[in-house]
């Protein structure tokens, strides 16, 4: 079976771009959370600035995929590969937007606050990192067993977020002066939690890619 | 090799229950001399649906189409086994009247083949052979058939002109109108748009969508996008075998057989 080699190469290039976007989104998550813990507004600004680059990669994946659909008229698994690339890139771009939001919270908190950033956020970030690595591997290998694990990890992030939110709310009760600042930390927790939701969507995309069926793993 | 039906058994059964079967092919084998051209074909053709047959050149799809009106018998040394029932009667039985079959099963060919006669005569020819002499009735049939093939408005003022003066696309729709004039039950189409430009192709495709309200259509096509656009069911054939048959949505989105996937995605060497 040697045919459509050019198209195969173009499909692979799209896939590589999606993986590149995933790796960059992971970096953005880590840079934004580090900036939050270090109260480093400059680093946070850099995260916001870098988000434009990720937006452009998403745009590039979209345009390339649409062109390939128009020119190659793919069907079956070829069509699914491109649809999944578009969908996944969109989830990754929105993940990066959440990193940008964490950076904004960091800037909002300023560099001179005396709040301790709840350590659970770092644990949530670690789970999100694991999820991104798993998602990249599952997407690269088209492995639905790995994809299914993502929804389990998402449940874990959800639980962690619920716990940290409860603790932060208790803190606002004891220290109402700091409510504005504590809310920024709670928001940041929420933004990390959203990573899990998008990664679960990506798991669904991978299931669709392999099986041709749409499943809801968020339920 | 077993045919793969790209639906669960229950769904497939439901599909069968919901639609009447016009042609049922059972264990059909066909040989041209020593060449085994069709191998154990089992395939239903549903009423008032478009069934597309796709596959590479030489896979047997045109041969199969021509067995449905027994035109294949015109080739010397053809042998068949198995059965094809049309409305529950085996058409491969010697006792089955081939004339009757061809009255019910019209055919449209790859290249438009109007007779070297007027537009009117092209349509009236079939009904005349079937004994209709009344001019008024013939006029009605001509108009109805040309309207049915969506070409009436283009030719109504020049019915007496030679059909060769029409464009390729118009000639093909004229041939479809000619086919309609004998009021068939099934229309077989052998690559009906392969000689037409994109605009004429679109017109014929739109016509097929209209025709399936009243007729059952089997179309052989090399154009996979066309099969995907216009058919309800698709059969993929390879080397004389039926590899996969399912509803068109399934076949073009999640085919069951690797060979079908390779063919429709263009990875077939």
């Amino acid at each position: 079976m040697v045919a459509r080699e050019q198209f195969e190469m173009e499909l692979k290039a799209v896939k590589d771009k999606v993986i590149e976007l995933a790796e960059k989104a992971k970096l953005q998550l880590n840079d934004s959370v580090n900036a939050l813990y270090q109260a480093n507004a400059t680093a946070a600004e850099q995260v916001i600035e870098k988000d434009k680059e990720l937006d452009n990669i998403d745009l590039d994946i979209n345009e390339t995929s649409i062109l390939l659909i128009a020119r190659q008229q793919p069907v079956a698994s070829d069509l699914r590969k491109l649809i999944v690339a578009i969908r996944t890139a969109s989830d990754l771009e929105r993940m990066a937007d959440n990193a940008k939001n964490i950076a904004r919270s960091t800037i909002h908190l300023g560099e001179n606050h005396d709040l301790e950033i709840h350590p659970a956020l770092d644990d949530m970030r670690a789970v999100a990192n694991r999820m991104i690595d798993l998602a990249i591997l599952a997407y690269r290998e088209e492995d639905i067993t790995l994809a299914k694990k993502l929804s389990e990890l998402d449940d874990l992030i959800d639980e962690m977020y619920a716990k940290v939110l409860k603790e932060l709310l208790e803190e606002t009760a004891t220290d109402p002066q700091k409510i504005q600042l504590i809310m920024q930390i709670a928001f940041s927790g929420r933004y990390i939690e959203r990573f899990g939701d998008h990664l679960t969507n990506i798991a669904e995309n991978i299931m669709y890619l392999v099986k041709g069926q749409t499943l809801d793993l968020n339920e | 090799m077993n045919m793969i039906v790209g639906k669960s058994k229950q769904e497939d059964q439901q599909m069968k229950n919901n639609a009447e079967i016009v042609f049922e092919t059972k264990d059909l084998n066909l040989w041209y001399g020593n060449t085994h051209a069709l191998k154990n074909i089992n395939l239903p053709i549903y009423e008032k649906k478009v069934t597309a047959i796709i596959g590479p050149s030489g896979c047997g799809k045109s041969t199969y189409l021509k067995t449905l009106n027994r035109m294949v018998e015109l080739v010397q040394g053809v042998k068949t086994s198995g059965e094809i029932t049309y409305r529950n009667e085996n058409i491969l039985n010697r006792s089955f009247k081939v004339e009757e079959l061809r009255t019910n099963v019209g055919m449209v060919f790859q290249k438009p083949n109007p007779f070297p006669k007027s537009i009117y005569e092209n349509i009236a020819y079939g009904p005349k052979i079937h004994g209709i002499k009344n001019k008024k009735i013939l006029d009605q049939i001509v108009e109805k058939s040309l309207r049915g093939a969506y070409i009436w408005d283009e030719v109504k003022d020049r019915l007496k002109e030679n059909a060769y003066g029409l464009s390729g696309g118009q000639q093909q729709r004229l041939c479809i109108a000619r086919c309609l004039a004998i009021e068939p039950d099934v229309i077989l189409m052998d690559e009906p748009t392969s000689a037409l430009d994109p605009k004429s192709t679109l017109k014929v495709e739109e016509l097929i969508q209209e025709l399936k309200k009243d007729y059952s259509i089997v179309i052989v096509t090399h154009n996979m996008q066309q099969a995907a656009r216009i058919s309800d069911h698709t059969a993929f054939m390879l080397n004389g075998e039926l590899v996969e048959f399912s509803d068109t949505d399934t076949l073009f989105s999640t085919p069951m057989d690797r060979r079908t996937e390779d063919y429709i995605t263009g990875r077939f060497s």
Side-chain angles (χ1 to χ4, degrees):
Chain A
M1 301 283 158
V2 187
R4 306 198 81 180
E5 278 180 11
Q6 178 66 29
F7 182 46
E8 292 273 11
M9 279 162 58
E10 287 167 325
L11 280 177
K12 191 178 175 301
V14 170
K15 189 170 184 171
D16 288 346
K17 270 262 180 264
V18 173
I19 291 169
E20 182 195 338
L21 183 56
E23 279 161 353
K24 285 194 187 309
K26 182 185 170 188
L27 260 177
Q28 287 285 85
L29 168 69
N30 288 318
D31 288 349
S32 65
V33 174
N34 288 341
L36 177 71
Y37 274 99
Q38 291 158 8
N40 186 341
T42 314
E45 290 284 1
Q46 283 168 359
V47 168
I48 292 169
E49 185 57 31
K50 189 142 194 208
D51 186 60
K52 291 173 194 154
E53 187 192 323
L54 279 80
D55 287 348
N56 285 333
I57 298 174
D58 172 40
L59 203 66
D60 185 26
I61 291 165
N62 267 276
E63 285 175 354
T64 311
S65 301
I66 288 166
L67 263 180
L68 283 173
I69 290 169
R71 291 174 56 191
Q72 301 283 353
Q73 303 188 9
V75 292
S77 61
D78 287 345
L79 181 59
R80 289 203 297 280
K81 279 175 190 163
L82 291 169
I83 299 294
V84 163
I86 292 171
R87 282 194 204 162
T88 303
S90 165
D91 274 306
L92 292 168
E93 188 271 329
R94 289 175 66 189
M95 278 160 58
D97 284 346
N98 281 300
K100 188 167 73 175
N101 290 337
I102 295 169
R104 283 193 178 132
S105 286
T106 301
I107 293 166
H108 196 90
L109 285 167
E111 293 192 335
N112 300 316
H113 68 80
D114 56 353
L115 278 177
E116 190 204 347
I117 309 295
H118 200 298
L121 261 58
D122 198 32
D123 298 339
M124 286 173 71
R125 177 252 293 266
V127 179
N129 269 317
R130 255 178 76 200
M131 285 183 80
I132 297 172
D133 290 341
L134 257 181
I136 291 173
L137 192 61
Y139 177 65
R140 182 180 277 137
E141 306 294 331
E142 298 185 3
D143 185 332
I144 53 170
T145 319
L146 289 177
K148 278 181 191 161
K149 281 190 186 156
L150 285 168
S151 74
E152 292 167 22
L153 288 170
D154 181 40
D155 292 343
L156 179 61
I157 288 202
D158 288 348
E159 278 170 31
M160 291 165 94
Y161 173 61
K163 193 162 172 275
V164 78
L165 185 65
K166 189 166 171 277
E167 287 175 20
L168 287 170
L169 286 175
E170 283 167 5
E171 215 177 305
T172 58
T174 55
D175 198 352
Q177 306 289 323
K178 289 184 178 168
I179 191 161
Q180 290 285 335
L181 299 175
I182 292 169
M183 285 317 289
Q184 291 302 328
I185 297 167
F187 288 154
S188 295
R190 170 77 182 149
Y191 299 137
I192 301 173
E193 187 271 329
R194 289 295 296 150
F195 267 77
D197 295 339
H198 287 296
L199 286 156
T200 307
N201 290 346
I202 292 171
E204 286 169 5
N205 293 342
I206 296 164
M207 306 276 276
Y208 171 71
L209 172 67
V210 178
K211 303 280 256 184
Q213 290 169 338
T214 305
L215 298 166
D216 188 355
L217 294 174
N218 273 312
E219 279 187 344
Chain B
M1 180 185 61
N2 292 323
M3 176 191 71
I4 287 181
V5 175
K7 281 257 164 191
S8 71
K9 277 188 180 155
Q10 288 102 328
E11 282 173 307
D12 185 49
Q13 194 54 48
Q14 197 160 9
M15 191 160 90
K16 284 180 180 165
N17 291 342
N18 290 344
E20 191 79 26
I21 291 174
V22 186
F23 276 109
E24 178 88 76
T25 303
K26 293 175 193 162
D27 301 325
L28 176 71
N29 284 278
L30 183 143
W31 293 263
Y32 291 121
N34 291 326
T35 308
H36 198 173
L38 295 177
K39 299 167 190 167
N40 227 29
I41 307 286
N42 288 281
L43 180 66
I45 303 293
Y46 294 99
E47 187 176 48
K48 293 181 183 172
K49 301 279 179 200
V50 179
T51 303
I53 304 174
I54 60 169
S57 295
C59 71
K61 55 191 188 300
S62 288
T63 296
Y64 174 72
L65 195 74
K66 287 178 203 153
T67 57
L68 296 178
N69 66 353
R70 281 178 52 181
M71 256 185 65
V72 76
E73 289 172 10
L74 300 173
V75 181
Q76 265 200 335
V78 164
K79 236 173 28 192
T80 55
S81 72
E83 63 177 55
I84 300 176
T85 57
Y86 166 68
R87 302 278 181 202
N88 300 318
E89 274 191 78
N90 186 3
I91 62 165
L92 298 181
N93 270 349
R94 288 198 175 275
S95 58
F96 196 96
K97 285 186 182 147
V98 75
E99 299 77 19
E100 196 185 311
L101 179 68
R102 290 187 193 152
T103 306
N104 288 312
V105 184
M107 190 156 187
V108 177
F109 297 88
Q110 183 175 0
K111 221 175 144 218
N113 57 348
F115 305 134
K117 289 171 179 287
S118 70
I119 293 167
Y120 183 95
E121 283 302 321
N122 262 276
I123 308 299
Y125 184 81
K128 276 183 181 172
I129 283 185
H130 286 89
I132 298 170
K133 302 271 188 273
N134 185 310
K135 172 84 169 65
K136 213 168 165 187
I137 294 175
L138 284 172
D139 285 352
Q140 283 170 358
I141 291 173
V142 169
E143 180 171 344
K144 191 178 167 207
S145 307
L146 290 169
R147 279 189 190 279
Y150 286 82
I151 191 178
W152 172 251
D153 289 337
E154 293 164 60
V155 300
K156 64 184 176 195
D157 300 324
R158 46 175 174 153
L159 293 174
K160 300 292 170 203
E161 287 177 25
N162 195 304
Y164 281 7
L166 298 173
S167 72
Q170 286 172 327
Q171 285 186 16
Q172 192 62 307
R173 281 181 289 137
L174 179 74
C175 292
I176 293 171
R178 188 175 65 191
C179 184
L180 301 183
I182 53 162
E183 299 191 321
D185 182 20
V186 182
I187 303 172
L188 309 178
M189 298 184 168
D190 193 357
E191 297 181 46
T193 62
S194 61
L196 306 183
D197 65 33
K199 198 175 160 197
S200 304
T201 296
L202 194 67
K203 281 205 166 175
V204 172
E205 286 185 4
E206 282 171 355
L207 173 58
I208 290 169
Q209 290 302 306
E210 286 300 317
L211 291 175
K212 78 168 188 183
K213 291 174 187 161
D214 299 306
Y215 307 92
S216 311
I217 296 166
V218 188
I219 178 170
V220 161
T221 178
H222 269 297
N223 182 336
M224 277 178 290
Q225 277 75 34
Q226 180 171 71
R229 277 195 297 269
I230 64 170
S231 70
D232 301 291
H233 303 108
T234 301
F236 168 58
M237 291 182 70
L238 181 66
N239 300 326
E241 296 175 7
L242 179 63
V243 173
E244 188 162 348
F245 171 72
S246 67
D247 68 280
T248 298
D249 287 349
T250 303
L251 194 124
F252 281 95
S253 57
T254 46
M256 304 283 282
D257 194 292
R258 181 78 217 175
R259 291 164 298 175
T260 314
E261 171 104 21
D262 285 340
Y263 183 70
I264 63 171
T265 57
R267 286 180 180 75
F268 208 89
S269 58

